[in-house]
Amino acid sequence: MCVVSGPPDCGKSMFLAWLVEHATEPDTEAVRRVHALVPLTGHSTRTAAWQLAEQLQVSARTPGELLSVLARDPRRTVIVLPDLHESVEPAGIEELACSLAAFAHIRVIVETRNPSATLLAEEPAVMDLAAPQWTDSDRYAAWAAAGLSARQETTSLPDYRQAPAEVDLDDPASVCGADPVAITTAYENATEAHGGLRAAWLRSGASVTRPQEPSSRAVVLWSALGDDADPRRENELCALARDAEWRVRWKRVRGDISPPWPGPVRSLSAGRGEMAGTAVVLDHQGVVRLISDGDGRPAGRLQRPVPGAVAVAAASEGTVVVLDHHGRLTLHKRPAVSQLSGIAGLLEAGPSPWESLAGQAARHVRGTALACASTSLAAGSTEGEVHVLPGNGAGTEGVSRTLHEGAVTALTVAETAGGGLLVYSGGQDGRVRLWDPDREPLGIPVAERDCEVTALAASPLDGGVALATGWADGLVEYSVTGDEHRVRHFRPGPPVRALSVLPCGDVLIGTEESLIRLAPC
């Protein structure tokens, strides 16, 4: 850790501005690059963590979540935090800065007027810009005499803990159009629920503090409202969102009772065949639930949890395929599916087509990601390989291609009108690849960013194929083939764990805190 200190007129801000400018140029060496800069004026610990998460392209809504995510990312990271003394929560931000600096791969530069005992206890490198080695008294005297002195120390700073007087924390229109940092600190210090807006705002994290139109912010808040919120707030947010890219069909958030929240979502799959009209939802304990995709109401569950389950896919014949963290596949029947007995059972003895597919997959690949079509199965591996097993040939070993550097983290398949199969894969390398198993993969990714792909979903529509992509920084992107110039974006706030595109084109988004159905406008 490095602490830059000195009185207000010693040029700290100019020094840090120079440092950041030269450390963020495109050709800057990796060892000299600054990765995040958060001027702390008016910030609380929470909002500082939100800003850091956004700039570092991770999803985190609390300082603890930020520390947890960065602890698992060994890349060298440099963070600059100016104006600590002008934050609304210096002690909390100091604690966060010290925790970040404790990681061997993270360097933190903090600027403050007077370093506290907490910072000095970490034995940082201290750069006091008022010290003689950093000053030229003659040049400074000439500069000050010319009336160019730096801003004078103010007697008082704005109280960012309070929302501006004209903002009504009970009014969605007022909240969505105000300074989001001031609104956040006001909600943090509020004791009232404000009709459910306070909980929805804090649940949404950096997705509400990003620069955006009030209509887009209204959609985010709308998607995060709990069922205990004042019903008028939802109607008001719906009206505010009329110019946004999305509409909220329904949502379930942590704590909802009617209908109940299905728990943290780890994987999603749209039902097919006998399960059409339902969505299959896997939670963090391996419980697989069925819900109505029309309103999110419960529609059943598998009889037993699947320990260590990481992915789920709805197949045909009322079959649910589950992948566990060891890469093993298991098949399960939904409770309403009857089992043949007597002579019929004897005549049908032997493995079903899906049992044959699962057996082949077990012999050829240890999966990290899973997707199913009506008669085919796809699995990804830790080596970046995608393996497709067609159901029309029980004896075939399928076909494989290495499409990613690092593990395959997400898979989805879409069946075309002519019976073809399109396989979309996402990886740790931040790429989304498209592959028709009957042809060579496309040479370039269909999407690429500097963070990991966390979820994929696709569905054929009348106008093409709808593709939804979830990224590690919490962004969801949605596009339809044939409309390459229109990519819709949504950030629910919590990390995006799972996606599903319904046959109508609507999107289900699953997080640790919510399950949301959005309709593109």
Side-chain angles (χ1 to χ4, degrees):
M1 177 186 289
C2 176
V3 175
V4 179
S5 66
D9 59 351
C10 70
K12 303 188 302 298
S13 298
M14 289 186 290
F15 168 72
L16 288 177
W18 172 86
L19 172 67
V20 172
E21 179 183 359
H22 288 276
T24 55
E25 295 177 349
D27 58 349
T28 303
E29 297 179 56
V31 296
R32 297 181 181 275
R33 179 169 292 279
V34 168
H35 302 90
L37 165 69
V38 179
L40 295 173
T41 300
H43 276 287
S44 66
T45 309
R46 186 193 299 262
T47 58
W50 288 0
Q51 295 296 309
L52 286 172
E54 183 174 357
Q55 294 186 34
L56 296 174
Q57 294 189 306
V58 299
S59 184
R61 292 168 304 118
T62 66
E65 287 183 5
L66 178 66
L67 293 170
S68 178
V69 171
L70 295 182
R72 299 192 298 269
D73 186 344
R75 292 176 296 179
R76 187 179 189 275
T77 303
V78 177
I79 296 169
V80 180
L81 301 174
D83 302 322
L84 173 63
H85 51 279
E86 294 187 1
S87 70
V88 299
E89 201 177 356
I93 295 178
E94 286 176 355
E95 182 179 351
L96 174 61
C98 292
S99 297
L100 288 167
F103 296 128
H105 59 285
I106 296 180
R107 299 290 183 269
V108 180
I109 300 174
V110 177
E111 182 262 313
T112 186
R113 288 179 187 165
N114 297 300
S116 68
T118 299
L119 291 177
L120 295 177
E122 300 297 316
E123 299 183 351
V126 178
M127 186 176 188
D128 183 356
L129 293 184
Q133 65 265 37
W134 304 115
T135 61
D136 185 322
S137 57
D138 293 336
R139 291 180 65 187
Y140 176 78
W143 176 63
L148 301 177
S149 61
R151 65 175 179 84
Q152 298 299 311
E153 182 176 1
T154 58
T155 56
S156 63
L157 292 169
D159 187 357
Y160 291 96
R161 291 171 294 183
Q162 302 296 324
E166 66 274 12
V167 176
D168 181 356
L169 296 179
D170 292 305
D171 177 24
S174 185
V175 166
C176 289
D179 171 37
V181 174
I183 295 297
T184 302
T185 52
Y187 275 142
E188 282 186 294
N189 290 279
T191 57
E192 300 178 17
H194 295 287
L197 291 176
R198 178 181 182 273
W201 185 280
L202 297 179
R203 179 181 287 121
S204 300
S207 61
V208 287
T209 58
R210 296 177 57 255
Q212 60 192 302
E213 293 296 323
S215 60
S216 298
R217 188 170 287 126
V219 175
V220 176
L221 276 181
W222 183 8
S223 72
L225 275 182
D227 66 358
D228 58 347
D230 186 329
R232 293 173 295 181
R233 300 294 88 85
E234 184 164 347
N235 295 333
E236 291 162 351
L237 288 168
C238 176
L240 287 171
R242 60 183 175 272
D243 295 327
E245 294 185 313
W246 300 97
R247 290 288 184 275
V248 179
R249 297 282 195 197
W250 53 260
K251 69 276 186 304
R252 302 288 174 263
V253 302
R254 182 184 291 272
D256 279 2
I257 298 174
S258 180
W261 174 59
V265 180
R266 292 297 170 85
S267 182
L268 282 171
S269 180
R272 63 177 74 248
E274 301 175 28
M275 293 190 292
T278 64
V280 183
V281 183
L282 171 70
D283 75 7
H284 64 302
Q285 295 180 324
V287 177
V288 179
R289 294 178 172 85
L290 302 180
I291 63 168
S292 165
D293 63 25
D295 57 12
R297 295 183 181 277
R301 59 189 287 177
L302 297 188
Q303 294 179 347
R304 303 182 192 83
V306 183
V310 296
V312 66
S316 56
E317 305 169 356
T319 299
V320 177
V321 186
V322 181
L323 175 72
D324 69 16
H325 63 274
H326 295 296
R328 297 176 299 208
L329 294 173
T330 54
L331 302 182
H332 306 265
K333 290 286 187 180
R334 68 185 181 98
V337 176
S338 60
Q339 303 293 328
L340 295 175
S341 60
I343 295 176
L346 291 174
L347 292 175
E348 294 293 332
S352 69
W354 279 104
E355 289 172 334
S356 298
L357 277 177
Q360 293 172 58
R363 291 192 296 272
H364 298 295
V365 64
R366 288 294 184 185
T368 56
L370 170 70
C372 289
S374 59
T375 60
S376 303
L377 182 149
S381 76
T382 56
E383 291 77 31
E385 185 179 64
V386 177
H387 194 83
V388 177
L389 290 162
N392 55 6
T396 183
E397 295 183 356
V399 59
S400 300
R401 290 290 186 277
T402 299
L403 302 178
H404 297 275
E405 298 176 8
V408 177
T409 54
L411 272 178
T412 188
V413 296
E415 295 176 284
T416 63
L421 194 67
L422 298 177
V423 180
Y424 294 87
S425 60
Q428 285 180 323
D429 56 5
R431 295 171 181 166
V432 178
R433 302 291 302 272
L434 172 59
W435 175 36
D436 179 342
D438 293 330
R439 298 181 177 87
E440 286 300 311
L442 291 181
I444 59 174
V446 297
E448 184 172 9
R449 296 183 68 226
D450 290 333
C451 58
E452 181 178 310
V453 180
T454 59
L456 282 174
S459 179
L461 303 179
D462 290 341
V465 176
L467 173 68
T469 306
W471 302 89
D473 63 350
L475 174 66
V476 175
E477 292 184 314
Y478 176 92
S479 61
V480 178
T481 55
D483 189 14
E484 290 85 357
H485 301 293
R486 181 67 184 275
V487 179
R488 301 171 191 269
H489 302 87
F490 184 74
R491 293 178 183 267
V496 176
R497 303 299 188 196
L499 294 169
S500 180
V501 177
L502 303 178
C504 64
D506 286 5
V507 183
L508 290 178
I509 301 175
T511 78
E512 300 283 343
E513 296 282 331
S514 57
L515 178 59
I516 307 161
R517 177 173 171 175
L518 295 181
C521 297

